[in-house]
Every structure is written in structure tokens, then in C-alpha cells.
Amino acid sequence: LSAAWRADRLQSYGMAEGVPQVRLRRILQAMVERGWFRQGGDPRYPVLELTGAGRERMKAGKSGKPR
């Protein structure tokens, strides 16, 4: 899949390697609670969708302040 979508070329590819699944789930849940992502897609195959607030947060970077 990563070869077809070229996900391996993304700067963030592999960042979560070695992070326990429970911790990743907590992090993602916190991002949903903050409104940065919403859960969408088919209930059998849920996906996280980036929200407008999430896009703004990404643009702000680590500081949290808009660029």
C-alpha cells in the first residue's frame, strides 16, 4: 500500500514506529477530543479526517501559534 500511495516518501512516515498501540490510541483520541480530527468513513472501516481546526493546528506547528 505505501508503495502505491508513496506514503514512504512522507516526512512523517515511520514516526510512530516503536510506540505502543495503546499510547497511539490515546494520542489520537485526544486529537479527536480537541477537534483536530473527526471519525468518519464506514463504521466497519473507520478513518480519521482532518478538520479545519486540525489544518490550522498543523500550520501553526509546534508553537501552536499561527504562522
Side-chain angles (χ1 to χ4, degrees):
L1 180 64
S2 66
W5 288 93
R6 297 187 176 159
D8 57 336
R9 294 183 180 185
L10 296 172
Q11 185 178 3
S12 58
Y13 185 78
M15 286 178 65
E17 188 174 349
V19 178
Q21 188 175 25
V22 171
R23 178 150 171 74
L24 286 175
R25 286 182 183 269
R26 286 185 195 142
I27 291 168
L28 292 170
Q29 184 60 42
M31 289 189 223
V32 169
E33 290 170 4
R34 287 180 172 94
W36 300 342
F37 289 93
R38 69 177 153 260
Q39 197 165 355
D42 185 312
R44 294 172 297 167
Y45 306 102
V47 295
L48 291 177
E49 300 170 345
L50 188 63
T51 64
R55 275 192 274 303
E56 290 302 314
R57 181 63 182 98
M58 288 181 70
K59 288 178 187 176
K62 291 182 182 180
S63 70
K65 297 178 184 174
R67 292 183 189 173

